Amino acid sequence: MNEERKILVEEVKSVEKPKLAKVEDAVDIPTEKPAPVMAPSPYEAETDAAKLNRKKDYLEGFLAQKPAETPAGEAGGDVYEAVIDTLKSIFDPEIPVNIYDLGLIYGVEITPDNHAIVTMTLTTPHCPVAESMPGEIELQVGSVPGVGHAEVNLVWDPPWDPQKMSDEAKLELGML
């Protein structure tokens, strides 16, 4: 490790110029690309009339299918939409906006046996209707045709804030 390292410097008076490229020295490069090897198409032997007939029926099977029915308890289903409509008919007593557009409803679940579970919050834990609102919602949702039983889960996490309101609610309250 104690070896001395020396840097050798060599002085050069001149350097040879590199040779210029000449056309005569160039190697012959083919200008045409070789044709790619492709498997024969099954439609090459097909006539134009046959191609036209084949193209006409490409949507036939798709158009013959009936739209899949949405189960009643899923978003877009009859029971689910009826529960949402009912929630939109319940208004906060202090704010002239329904509880759904106000962003108080965090989730609606319809079980396979048509029990409705609504997860919601209130604007504040000290809300004057904290005791009565969940019971009222349970009664309203329970009266929806097709709902066997309704349950309301009142949660405080995540806390409600005005950003949870729909644009319609913000417009109604003059916040837009």
Side-chain angles (χ1 to χ4, degrees), residues 4 13-14 16 29 31 41 46 58 60 65 73 79 89 100 117 125 139 142 148 155 161 164 168 170 173 176:
E4 286 186 33
K13 292 185 182 178
S14 68
E16 247 183 70
I29 299 174
T31 55
S41 169
E46 195 174 22
Y58 72 101
E60 186 176 306
Q65 291 177 353
V79 175
S89 70
Y100 190 83
I117 302 168
L139 285 173
V155 297
D161 63 56
K164 295 189 183 333
E168 292 84 11
K170 290 177 183 176
L173 296 174
L176 272 183

Coordinates of all heavy atoms in Angstrom, one line a residue, residues 4 13-14 16 29 31 41 46 58 60 65 73 79 89 100 117 125 139 142 148 155 161 164 168 170 173 176:
E4 N 4.5 4.0 -4.3 CA 4.3 5.4 -4.9 C 3.6 5.2 -6.2 O 4.0 4.4 -7.1 CB 5.6 6.1 -5.1 CG 6.2 6.6 -3.8 CD 7.4 7.4 -4.0 OE1 7.5 8.1 -5.0 OE2 8.3 7.3 -3.1
K13 N 4.4 15.8 -30.2 CA 4.5 17.0 -31.1 C 3.4 17.1 -32.1 O 2.9 18.1 -32.5 CB 5.9 17.0 -31.7 CG 7.0 17.3 -30.7 CD 8.3 17.4 -31.4 CE 9.3 17.6 -30.3 NZ 10.7 17.7 -30.8
S14 N 3.0 15.9 -32.6 CA 1.9 16.0 -33.6 C 1.2 14.6 -33.6 O 1.7 13.6 -33.2 CB 2.5 16.2 -35.0 OG 3.3 15.1 -35.4
E16 N -1.3 12.0 -36.1 CA -1.7 11.7 -37.5 C -3.2 11.9 -37.7 O -4.0 11.6 -36.8 CB -1.4 10.2 -37.7 CG -0.3 9.9 -38.7 CD -0.2 8.4 -39.0 OE1 -1.1 7.8 -39.6 OE2 0.8 7.9 -38.5
I29 N -24.4 -2.4 -49.0 CA -25.5 -2.7 -48.1 C -26.7 -2.8 -49.0 O -27.0 -1.8 -49.7 CB -25.6 -1.6 -47.1 CG1 -24.3 -1.5 -46.2 CG2 -26.8 -1.8 -46.2 CD1 -24.3 -0.4 -45.3
T31 N -30.3 -2.2 -50.2 CA -31.2 -1.1 -50.0 C -32.6 -1.6 -49.7 O -33.4 -0.9 -49.1 CB -31.2 -0.1 -51.1 OG1 -31.5 -0.8 -52.3 CG2 -29.9 0.6 -51.3
S41 N -52.8 -16.2 -44.3 CA -54.0 -15.9 -43.7 C -55.2 -16.8 -44.1 O -55.3 -17.2 -45.2 CB -54.4 -14.4 -44.1 OG -55.7 -14.1 -43.7
E46 N -60.6 -16.1 -49.3 CA -62.0 -15.7 -49.2 C -62.3 -14.6 -50.2 O -61.5 -13.7 -50.5 CB -62.1 -15.2 -47.8 CG -63.5 -15.0 -47.3 CD -63.6 -14.6 -45.9 OE1 -62.6 -14.0 -45.3 OE2 -64.7 -14.8 -45.3
Y58 N -70.9 -9.7 -37.2 CA -69.9 -9.6 -36.0 C -70.6 -9.1 -34.8 O -70.2 -9.4 -33.7 CB -68.7 -8.8 -36.3 CG -68.9 -7.3 -36.4 CD1 -68.6 -6.5 -35.4 CD2 -69.5 -6.7 -37.5 CE1 -68.8 -5.1 -35.4 CE2 -69.6 -5.4 -37.6 CZ -69.3 -4.6 -36.6 OH -69.5 -3.2 -36.6
E60 N -74.0 -9.8 -34.2 CA -75.2 -10.5 -34.0 C -75.3 -11.1 -32.7 O -76.4 -11.0 -32.0 CB -75.3 -11.6 -35.1 CG -76.6 -12.4 -35.1 CD -76.6 -13.3 -36.3 OE1 -76.4 -12.9 -37.4 OE2 -76.8 -14.5 -36.0
Q65 N -77.9 -10.7 -26.9 CA -77.9 -10.9 -25.5 C -78.8 -9.9 -24.8 O -78.9 -8.8 -25.2 CB -76.5 -10.7 -25.0 CG -75.5 -11.7 -25.4 CD -74.1 -11.4 -24.9 OE1 -73.8 -10.3 -24.3 NE2 -73.2 -12.3 -25.1
G73 N -80.3 -5.8 -4.4 CA -79.6 -5.2 -3.3 C -78.3 -4.5 -3.7 O -77.6 -3.9 -2.8
V79 N -84.2 -2.3 -4.9 CA -84.3 -2.0 -3.5 C -83.2 -1.0 -3.1 O -83.6 -0.1 -2.3 CB -84.1 -3.4 -2.7 CG1 -84.0 -3.1 -1.2 CG2 -85.2 -4.3 -3.0
S89 N -85.2 11.8 0.9 CA -86.4 12.5 1.3 C -86.3 13.0 2.8 O -87.3 13.6 3.3 CB -87.6 11.6 1.1 OG -87.6 10.5 2.0
Y100 N -78.7 12.8 2.5 CA -77.8 12.1 1.5 C -76.9 13.1 0.8 O -75.7 12.9 0.7 CB -78.7 11.3 0.5 CG -77.9 10.4 -0.4 CD1 -77.5 9.1 0.1 CD2 -77.5 10.7 -1.7 CE1 -76.8 8.2 -0.7 CE2 -76.7 9.9 -2.5 CZ -76.4 8.6 -2.0 OH -75.7 7.8 -2.8
I117 N -78.6 -2.0 5.7 CA -77.6 -1.5 6.7 C -77.1 -0.1 6.2 O -76.5 -0.1 5.2 CB -76.5 -2.4 7.0 CG1 -77.0 -3.8 7.4 CG2 -75.5 -1.9 8.0 CD1 -76.0 -4.9 7.4
P125 N -71.0 15.5 16.9 CA -71.5 14.7 18.0 C -72.5 15.3 18.9 O -73.3 14.7 19.5 CB -70.2 14.2 18.8 CG -69.1 14.4 17.8 CD -69.5 15.6 17.0
L139 N -86.7 3.8 10.7 CA -88.1 3.6 10.4 C -88.4 3.9 9.0 O -89.1 3.1 8.3 CB -88.9 4.6 11.3 CG -89.1 4.2 12.7 CD1 -89.8 5.3 13.5 CD2 -89.9 2.9 12.8
G142 N -86.8 1.1 6.8 CA -87.5 -0.1 7.1 C -88.9 -0.2 6.4 O -89.4 -1.2 6.1
G148 N -86.6 -6.0 4.5 CA -87.1 -6.8 5.6 C -86.8 -6.1 6.9 O -87.7 -6.1 7.8
V155 N -71.5 6.4 13.0 CA -70.1 6.4 13.2 C -69.6 7.9 13.3 O -70.2 8.8 12.8 CB -69.4 5.7 12.0 CG1 -69.8 4.2 12.0 CG2 -69.7 6.3 10.7
D161 N -67.3 16.6 7.2 CA -66.8 18.0 6.9 C -67.6 18.5 5.7 O -68.1 17.7 4.9 CB -65.3 18.1 6.7 CG -64.8 17.3 5.5 OD1 -65.2 17.5 4.4 OD2 -63.9 16.5 5.8
K164 N -67.8 16.8 2.0 CA -68.5 15.6 1.8 C -69.9 15.9 1.1 O -70.6 15.0 0.6 CB -68.8 14.8 3.0 CG -67.5 14.3 3.6 CD -67.7 13.3 4.7 CE -66.5 12.8 5.5 NZ -65.3 12.7 4.8
E168 N -75.0 19.8 -5.5 CA -76.3 20.4 -5.3 C -76.5 21.0 -4.0 O -77.1 22.0 -3.8 CB -77.4 19.3 -5.6 CG -77.4 18.8 -7.0 CD -76.4 17.7 -7.3 OE1 -75.7 17.2 -6.4 OE2 -76.2 17.4 -8.5
K170 N -74.2 22.1 -1.9 CA -73.4 23.3 -1.8 C -74.0 24.5 -2.5 O -74.0 25.6 -2.0 CB -72.0 23.1 -2.4 CG -71.1 22.2 -1.6 CD -69.8 21.9 -2.2 CE -68.9 20.9 -1.4 NZ -67.7 20.6 -2.1
L173 N -76.9 25.8 -0.4 CA -76.5 26.6 0.7 C -75.6 27.8 0.4 O -75.1 28.5 1.2 CB -75.6 25.7 1.7 CG -76.4 24.5 2.3 CD1 -75.5 23.6 3.1 CD2 -77.5 25.0 3.2
L176 N -71.3 27.5 -3.5 CA -70.6 27.4 -4.8 C -70.7 28.7 -5.5 O -71.5 29.5 -5.4 CB -71.3 26.4 -5.7 CG -70.8 25.0 -5.5 CD1 -71.5 24.0 -6.5 CD2 -69.3 24.8 -5.8

